[in-house]
Amino acid sequence: MLAASVPLWSQVNPAPDATATAPVTDNSPAADAAPVPTTADDRMQTPPTVSGAAYPTTYTSEQRSNYLRGGLTFSTAYSDNVLVSASGTPLSDVSYLVTPSIALDQTTSRLHWVFAYSPGFTFYQRDSSANQANQNLSSSFQYRLSPHVTLSLRDSFQKSSSVLDQPDLASAGAVTGSAQGVTAVVIAPLADQLTNKGDVEITYQFNANTMIGASGTFTNLHYSNSAQVPGLFDSASQSGAAFYTRRISKKHYLGVTYQYQRILSYPIGEQSETQTHSVQVFYTVYLQPKLSLSVAGGPQHSDVNQSPLPSASAWTPALTASMGWQARRTALAASYSRIVSGGGGLLGAFHSNSASLSLRQQLSLNWNAQASGAYSINKTLTPLFFLSSPGGHSISGSASIQRKLGQHMNAEAGYTRLHQSYSDIPAISTAPDTNREYVTISYQFTRPLGR
């Protein structure tokens, strides 16, 4: 839907991020009354707390634009929890993944857009009935509608039998600084599923140090075969936010945001709905141009409706904190949130505490290391609702090492550990642990555009 809307803005005046060419100064009387930025350094950044974008996982030395990139990846993995037998014993298997890919990144004085597509084909050695054709598609568009108004659109779609069977696990678990659109997530070891997430954001910097903005996020999760995931359900969410921020010095931003979220879960013949409203004060400091720390907090009100039970409401504190750092050889991001959330396969509303970490480090010219981890605790907000899940907790971690074999060839080896504790979900409770080891060989090429 977002991609189809691109031609509608083909005649506006968009532009890339804050590192791009400075906008043209507005010479109207209104501009004289309210000074506006005239250089790239004067332009304000959108604080991570109110931006739907994930922290970058690339080094500053890898940042480039105007290119076409393609490649082919072959990966083999061993997992000790692919399926669960009738006796409740997890079954292991070896899988093979073939993934071609293509990506385009183009920047002009008015537009920055990125498109990436990566289909995949997964084959299992023992259980051929679990073979799957995967789809991974993402797009991002950023326009300068006027010298001081920027519109951003992002969308990602994934069709897969397992979120663990991905060529880039770090990208799959991207770290964000905003709690908008965040839902509780339970990982099924093997289940055909469709996931989609879209973001739209518009910002207006109406003077040198003040910005306002609004955003919306939409997510969907659909299990193609509910028999594969007993205890888990389809879900969807819609959220919206508006914010005001003031740059009180070159490095310090202070602001306030209002966020609304509607989360739906779909058990058979029923529907569970959770609505939340929150007002939070946020603060961001840019210690360096590519190093930021953010924190936000405030009250959150939630309403839970689950027919045929009466509705329930509550006031709870909400808190988010995050940091992101990009250096020449390091990319680090971390986040923590305490909010009321739901969805992600679960039924009901939950007090959710979650933390995530992503680290990528260049060890030498040809060696890179990467690690990521996540932890979450979900406790039901409505313990008296007999249909709701009581909740549980999960912890996961992944580590890998990459080696360049030449100008176009790369090799990678890694390990992933996943533990989930949800006693009321048969798809997980009988086999809560998953260990996965994998080896990947890839070929990639890059071609400049417009030269």
Side-chain angles (χ1 to χ4, degrees):
M1 292 174 61
L2 298 179
S5 304
V6 172
L8 300 179
W9 286 285
S10 59
Q11 298 181 6
V12 298
N13 183 25
D17 58 21
T19 62
T21 306
V24 179
T25 305
D26 190 345
N27 294 321
S28 65
D32 295 335
V36 293
T38 57
T39 69
D41 291 337
D42 291 335
R43 239 177 282 140
M44 295 176 65
Q45 302 186 57
T46 305
T49 305
V50 292
S51 172
Y55 284 108
T57 58
T58 56
Y59 312 135
T60 55
S61 57
E62 295 177 324
Q63 292 181 347
R64 63 177 67 184
S65 60
N66 297 315
Y67 66 83
L68 166 67
R69 184 174 62 211
L72 179 66
T73 299
F74 173 80
S75 178
T76 180
Y78 169 81
S79 176
D80 63 358
N81 184 13
V82 176
L83 293 172
V84 178
S85 66
S87 63
T89 303
L91 301 177
S92 60
D93 204 345
V94 176
S95 63
Y96 306 95
L97 175 65
V98 180
T99 310
S101 63
I102 187 170
L104 297 96
D105 186 319
Q106 189 170 30
T107 299
T108 69
S109 60
R110 299 182 174 188
L111 165 69
H112 180 206
W113 69 277
V114 180
F115 172 83
Y117 175 57
S118 177
F121 307 92
T122 304
F123 307 93
Y124 289 89
Q125 183 172 294
R126 295 183 181 177
D127 186 9
S128 60
S129 64
N131 293 350
Q132 174 82 38
N134 307 324
Q135 300 289 341
N136 294 274
L137 186 149
S138 64
S139 59
S140 173
F141 299 87
Q142 190 176 67
Y143 293 87
R144 182 67 45 80
L145 299 180
S146 77
H148 320 114
V149 179
T150 301
L151 174 70
S152 300
L153 305 171
R154 291 176 291 269
D155 190 79
S156 62
F157 172 82
Q158 184 182 92
K159 175 181 181 290
S160 175
S161 59
S162 174
V163 297
L164 299 179
D165 287 336
Q166 300 300 317
D168 187 356
L169 287 177
S171 297
V175 178
T176 66
S178 172
Q180 182 183 354
V182 173
T183 57
V185 176
V186 177
I187 298 176
L190 185 67
D192 298 338
Q193 54 191 289
L194 302 173
T195 59
N196 182 237
K197 180 179 180 181
D199 299 280
V200 57
E201 178 184 80
I202 187 167
T203 62
Y204 172 40
Q205 184 178 349
F206 57 87
N207 65 37
N209 294 301
T210 309
M211 175 187 288
I212 58 174
S215 61
T217 301
F218 314 88
T219 67
N220 283 282
L221 169 63
H222 171 66
Y223 296 105
S224 303
N225 184 358
S226 59
Q228 295 178 323
V229 285
L232 295 177
F233 307 95
D234 293 355
S235 63
S237 72
Q238 305 94 37
S239 62
F243 72 89
Y244 168 92
T245 183
R246 173 81 178 174
R247 181 167 54 185
I248 55 181
S249 72
K250 185 176 181 179
K251 297 181 178 181
H252 302 271
Y253 287 60
L254 186 65
V256 61
T257 179
Y258 163 77
Q259 295 183 353
Y260 165 80
Q261 186 168 222
R262 180 173 180 253
I263 304 169
L264 300 173
S265 297
Y266 303 100
I268 298 176
E270 301 287 344
Q271 176 177 294
S272 173
E273 179 182 31
T274 301
Q275 297 188 50
T276 67
H277 305 261
S278 67
V279 176
Q280 299 184 39
V281 176
F282 64 88
Y283 166 74
T284 296
V285 55
Y286 292 92
L287 301 176
Q288 298 175 9
K290 298 295 184 178
L291 171 59
S292 67
L293 301 174
S294 301
V295 63
Q300 183 178 27
H301 183 264
S302 56
D303 290 291
V304 184
N305 294 281
Q306 191 170 299
S307 178
L309 301 174
S311 60
S313 61
W315 282 97
T316 55
L319 173 67
T320 60
S322 65
M323 67 89 61
W325 178 37
Q326 272 185 291
R328 183 172 179 80
R329 296 185 176 183
T330 304
L332 173 65
S335 69
Y336 166 79
S337 65
R338 184 190 188 279
I339 58 173
V340 171
S341 186
L346 297 176
L347 179 61
F350 301 87
H351 293 288
S352 179
N353 286 269
S354 60
S356 57
L357 171 70
S358 175
L359 172 63
R360 185 165 176 253
Q361 178 68 48
Q362 183 177 8
L363 305 177
S364 67
L365 182 63
N366 295 318
W367 288 92
N368 288 274
Q370 194 163 308
S372 61
Y375 179 73
S376 66
I377 301 176
N378 298 300
K379 296 183 179 179
T380 181
L381 187 67
T382 54
L384 299 181
F385 283 19
F386 61 89
L387 293 177
S388 296
S389 169
H393 70 272
S394 65
I395 183 169
S396 64
S398 180
S400 65
I401 185 116
Q402 301 93 31
R403 162 75 176 177
K404 289 184 178 180
L405 302 179
Q407 183 178 1
H408 300 290
M409 298 294 294
N410 294 276
E412 178 179 353
Y415 168 74
T416 300
R417 165 75 175 178
L418 171 65
H419 171 76
Q420 300 179 104
S421 177
Y422 289 88
S423 59
D424 64 313
I425 302 177
I428 294 173
S429 60
T430 54
D433 299 316
T434 300
N435 295 279
R436 183 176 182 270
E437 301 86 24
Y438 65 93
V439 176
T440 296
I441 300 292
S442 62
Y443 168 83
Q444 289 188 343
F445 68 88
T446 301
R447 297 288 185 271
L449 296 175
R451 297 180 185 178

